[in-house]
């Protein structure tokens, strides 16, 4: 292969790399993605796709297929905790308690009001091929190269030069790029940059070691509760807990063909557990005897949380697992990776297309490191909170079948003591909503950087900083969702008004001066900036349900400026004596450049 010049070299073909490839392709940026392995992930790994992530997947045209292949919504309603799995008496597999999860399959009105997109549940092994197809369509099939490994790179003031190995042919070639994105889980790019990781969780000697077995098995005889998305089993006979997750692909819930079993071991015990022993222990834990099982993969991983000290060094950036790794509690890891891609893609496009200065790229680290650091800490806090539920259950984490089953039967009994204990467990599992209903963590997070212009309004006091998302147009907040009427009388989501890689000025129904100013600035400077007016009874779009009216926080002659990633950059509550000058100052301040540059 001949040497190649591109705008952006993407190293790594996981969720972050494929998403940023597709996004940059949709923005018209010339990219090359290389991935050392010849295929996407062969492990299920992450599976929860929250609302922000589904909005991003919709932006690259992948959401419909994800929903089509994902777990049916009615089977994502709650997380269940059960006693045992299979065994000699009827209490094996009995439900201990449950809690609604991630919008309760559409029943939680806060989730419905927050976004036009609902959560989806699709294992990474099936998600990544969908995103890869979109990346190949938008960036070009030859610009997404699996089986091509980056061996090394150097950078200077003008760009990056990398040596790539085609692993099939053995040929090496050089790629020159303006920027490099490390999306390879920290295997190559981060070590070569010399960026260190901070461990935010326990030391490995004190952390749990998880052995995950991905397998095909018919567990329909024992896996009850079809509405359960996640299943956790306390095992009275063994005095420990395992996790069980349905993987589909053609049937879900109890009828799922494939499963992942997560077994938790102290580090010293797992060290003596080879693959064969892990399968034996899995069979013992489930109590399924000699039921036919086909093991596809066995993986081992630490329950850890780490954060890179820098997300940018020169012309190289870190995304996804290269920059942060999360415990799975809360389902924040893959979502953070996809959202990293959304944050940096429009900024790179703006710089490469001459609309923004390099200063804009510094806001990637400022914004995403703060958010992902919080996500890592939240995932660790979720794990630390779990023992409260175990304590409320009153069971011992020691192998005592007779004593543990008696404790559970006392818990289920129709007695004053049983009712008291069930009430305690209910309170504990409701508190655990910090893991399964962290709506403000996963959707309501905010940004602070030079790409966000404060308007002097104080941040609202949170009702619950983890669980309760409150829509707002305060700069740094995500654009509130609303259904609007277009000229044909059709309902459209407000987010659909943003074109790929484009800013949007939203003015009130009396804000034509702002709209005209935006059009003038866009025309004079060639900026990707659109403008609309929205009001209940007048404007380019109408607000029939008054949803936008409730959330907009501006007057009829005010305006807000929305970034291409759907976060509010600036707002003016009312009119301006010089709308062109004020809006121009805001736009170019966000872009990190002078108007004449």
């Amino acid at each position: 292969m001949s040497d190649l010049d591109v705008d952006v070299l993407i190293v790594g073909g996981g969720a972050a790399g494929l998403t940023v490839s597709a996004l940059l392709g949709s923005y018209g940026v010339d990219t090359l993605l290389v991935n050392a392995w010849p295929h996407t992930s062969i492990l299920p790994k992450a599976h929860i796709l929250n609302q922000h992530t589904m909005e991003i997947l919709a932006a690259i045209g992948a959401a419909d297929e994800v929903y089509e292949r994902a777990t049916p919504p009615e089977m994502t309603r709650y997380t269940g905790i059960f006693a045992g799995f299979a065994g000699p008496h009827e209490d094996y597999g009995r439900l201990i308690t449950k809690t609604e999860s991630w919008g309760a399959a559409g029943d939680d009105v806060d989730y419905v009001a927050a976004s036009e997109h609902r959560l989806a549940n699709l294992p990474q092994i099936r998600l990544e091929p969908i995103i890869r197809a979109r990346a190949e369509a938008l960036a070009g099939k030859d610009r997404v190269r699996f089986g091509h490994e980056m061996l090394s790179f150097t950078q200077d003031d003008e760009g990056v030069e990398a040596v790539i190995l085609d692993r099939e042919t053995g040929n090496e070639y050089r790629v020159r790029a303006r920027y490099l994105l490390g999306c390879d889980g920290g295997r190559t790019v981060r070590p070569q940059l010399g960026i260190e990781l901070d461990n935010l969780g326990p030391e490995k000697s004190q952390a749990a070691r998880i052995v995950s077995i991905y397998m095909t098995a018919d567990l329909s005889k024992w896996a009850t509760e079809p509405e359960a998305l996640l299943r956790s089993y306390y095992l009275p006979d063994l005095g420990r807990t395992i996790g069980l997750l349905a993987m589909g692909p053609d049937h879900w819930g109890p009828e799922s063909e494939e499963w992942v079993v997560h077994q938790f071991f102290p580090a010293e015990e797992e060290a003596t557990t080879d693959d064969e022993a892990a399968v034996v222990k899995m069979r013992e834990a489930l109590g399924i005897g000699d039921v036919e099982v086909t093991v596809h993969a066995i993986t081992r991983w630490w329950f850890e949380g780490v954060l890179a000290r820098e997300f940018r060094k020169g012309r190289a950036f870190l995304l996804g697992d290269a920059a942060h790794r999360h415990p799975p509690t809360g389902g924040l890891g893959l979502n953070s990776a996809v959202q990293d891609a959304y944050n940096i893609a429009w900024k790179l496009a703006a710089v490469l297309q001459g609309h923004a200065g390099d200063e804009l790229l510094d806001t990637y680290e400022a914004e995403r490191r703060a958010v992902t650091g919080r996500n890592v800490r939240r995932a660790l806090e979720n794990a630390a909170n779990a023992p409260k539920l175990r304590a409320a259950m009153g069971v011992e984490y020691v192998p005592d079948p007779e004593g543990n089953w008696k404790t559970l039967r006392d818990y289920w009994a129709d007695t004053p003591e049983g009712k008291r204990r069930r009430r305690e467990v209910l309170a504990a599992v409701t508190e655990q909503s910090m893991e399964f209903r962290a709506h403000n963590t996963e959707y309501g997070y905010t940004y602070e950087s030079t790409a966000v212009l404060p308007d002097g309004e104080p941040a609202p006091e949170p009702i619950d900083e983890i669980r309760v998302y409150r829509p707002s147009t305060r700069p740094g907040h995500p654009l509130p969702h609303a259904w609007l009427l277009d000229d044909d009388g059709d309902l459209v989501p407000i987010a659909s008004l943003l074109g790929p890689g484009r800013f949007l000025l939203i003015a009130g129904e009396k804000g034509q001066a702002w709209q005209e100013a935006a059009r003038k600035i866009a025309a004079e400077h060639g900026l990707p900036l659109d403008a609309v007016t929205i009001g209940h009874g007048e404007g380019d779009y109408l607000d029939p349900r008054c949803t936008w009216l409730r959330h907009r926080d501006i007057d009829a002659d005010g305006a807000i400026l929305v970034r291409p990633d759907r976060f509010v950059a600036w707002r003016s509550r009312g009119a301006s004596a010089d709308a062109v000058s004020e809006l121009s100052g805001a736009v170019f301040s966000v872009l990190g450049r002078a108007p004449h540059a």
Side-chain angles (χ1 to χ4, degrees), residues 27 59 116 342 346 479-480 493-506 528-532 534 541 548 560-568:
Y27 300 161
E116 70 273 28
Y342 204 34
W346 74 268
L479 175 68
I494 191 170
S496 69
L497 307 186
L498 279 92
R502 301 184 66 82
F503 285 79
L504 178 67
L505 180 108
I506 302 176
L529 170 61
D530 302 313
V532 298
I534 301 174
Y541 292 86
W548 180 244
I560 70 168
L561 180 66
V562 185
R563 306 185 331 184
D565 60 352
R566 298 172 63 156
F567 279 78
V568 177

Side-chain angles (χ1 to χ4, degrees), residues 346-535:
W346 74 268
K347 296 174 180 178
L348 282 169
V351 171
L352 288 165
Q353 293 164 357
H355 304 311
D358 184 77
E359 178 185 331
L360 178 62
L361 298 179
D362 288 332
T363 68
Y364 168 69
E365 177 177 314
E367 294 179 352
R368 291 305 300 166
R369 191 172 187 275
V371 169
T372 56
R374 185 185 69 168
N375 288 350
V376 172
R377 293 182 180 91
R378 289 289 317 114
L380 291 164
E381 290 164 3
N382 289 337
N385 192 55
K388 296 179 182 178
L389 176 58
R390 299 169 193 163
M393 288 165 54
V395 294
E396 295 293 335
Y397 273 70
V398 294
D400 178 13
E402 183 177 347
N404 290 334
W405 278 114
K406 182 181 184 305
T407 298
L408 286 171
R409 291 184 179 116
D410 290 344
Y411 165 84
W412 285 315
D414 188 16
T415 63
E417 174 63 14
K419 291 179 180 178
R420 182 190 66 78
R421 292 201 31 226
R422 289 195 295 275
R423 185 72 180 86
E424 290 179 356
V425 168
L426 185 63
V429 78
T430 301
E431 185 177 348
Q432 198 64 21
S433 64
M434 64 189 290
E435 177 177 353
F436 303 113
R437 198 197 184 280
H439 202 206
N440 199 47
T441 298
E442 65 197 37
Y443 197 86
Y445 62 81
T446 61
Y447 288 146
E448 293 182 13
S449 74
T450 57
V452 172
L453 305 182
D455 63 355
E457 293 285 339
E461 282 294 322
I463 297 172
D464 185 304
E465 65 178 359
I466 296 171
R467 300 170 178 86
V468 181
Y469 160 58
R470 298 176 68 179
S472 172
T473 62
R474 184 174 180 268
H477 287 243
L479 175 68
H481 169 55
W483 288 102
L484 308 174
L485 283 176
D486 64 12
D487 287 342
D488 296 323
D490 295 325
L491 283 171
V492 297
I494 191 170
S496 69
L497 307 186
L498 279 92
R502 301 184 66 82
F503 285 79
L504 178 67
L505 180 108
I506 302 176
E509 62 271 28
K510 305 295 184 184
Q512 286 77 14
W514 289 115
Q515 186 179 37
E516 292 169 7
R519 290 171 176 168
K520 178 180 174 64
I521 294 165
E524 287 186 358
H525 300 279
L527 295 179
L529 170 61
D530 302 313
V532 298
T533 58
I534 301 174

